[in-house]
Amino acid sequence: MLDDRDRKILNLLQANASLAVSDLADRVSLSISACSRRIQRLEDDGYIAKRVVLLDRAHAGLPTTMFVIVRTARHSAGWLEQFRAAIVDIPEIVEVHRMTGTIDYILKLVLPRVEAYDEIYKALVEKVEFFDISASVSMETLKATTAVPTHYAR
């Protein structure tokens, strides 16, 4: 069961996973050892899946975001496995979601420029049969976060 201190630790780590345990302990009014034990428990219990570094995409040469809408006429396990195999080794595809409704999948791509999408498109259609595939370029990011709300966690 999580308490308010656990949630605050999770929120602080989501904002900056490189915070020193001493800083975290100060911010949540715990001793360093008690804070360290809580962090370890949160990791052991699966609340903290992993700690990563987020790159500045412009500095990494990937300022362009595209969303690719995929519709398929096939919904078999075999097709899905073929699709997974096609997307797994394309690092520019950073997210893929299976959807409800008339859209089957949405892919989020990060690219150096719009023209780079053509290479990815060709790689996908060479490996997988689609009913329809279309792409849109993100003009502006209004909100982007990796943090999730912690008030639902039990």
Side-chain angles (χ1 to χ4, degrees), residues 61-101:
L62 297 163
T64 304
T65 303
M66 292 191 75
F67 292 93
V68 178
I69 307 298
V70 170
R71 291 178 40 204
T72 180
R74 300 177 55 205
H75 298 276
S76 67
W79 184 91
L80 180 56
E81 214 32 61
Q82 193 178 21
F83 182 55
R84 283 181 197 211
I87 62 174
V88 72
D89 291 327
I90 302 174
E92 294 85 356
I93 300 174
V94 295
E95 291 184 36
V96 178
H97 300 268
R98 188 167 57 92
M99 307 298 291
T100 61

Side-chain angles (χ1 to χ4, degrees), residues 31-51:
S31 69
I32 293 171
S33 59
C35 187
S36 182
R37 283 192 302 274
R38 281 184 184 243
I39 293 168
Q40 186 60 54
R41 181 179 47 79
L42 291 167
E43 288 177 345
D44 292 345
D45 291 350
Y47 290 99
I48 299 172
K50 62 182 172 180
R51 298 182 199 197

Side-chain angles (χ1 to χ4, degrees), residues 79-130:
W79 184 91
L80 180 56
E81 214 32 61
Q82 193 178 21
F83 182 55
R84 283 181 197 211
I87 62 174
V88 72
D89 291 327
I90 302 174
E92 294 85 356
I93 300 174
V94 295
E95 291 184 36
V96 178
H97 300 268
R98 188 167 57 92
M99 307 298 291
T100 61
T102 59
I103 295 169
D104 295 312
Y105 299 90
I106 293 180
L107 291 68
K108 179 180 176 183
L109 283 68
V110 294
L111 301 164
R113 62 193 180 293
V114 172
E115 294 81 7
Y117 170 66
D118 191 46
E119 294 173 33
I120 293 165
Y121 172 82
K122 288 175 183 174
L124 287 173
V125 298
E126 180 180 304
K127 296 176 182 176
V128 184
E129 181 182 336
F130 298 103

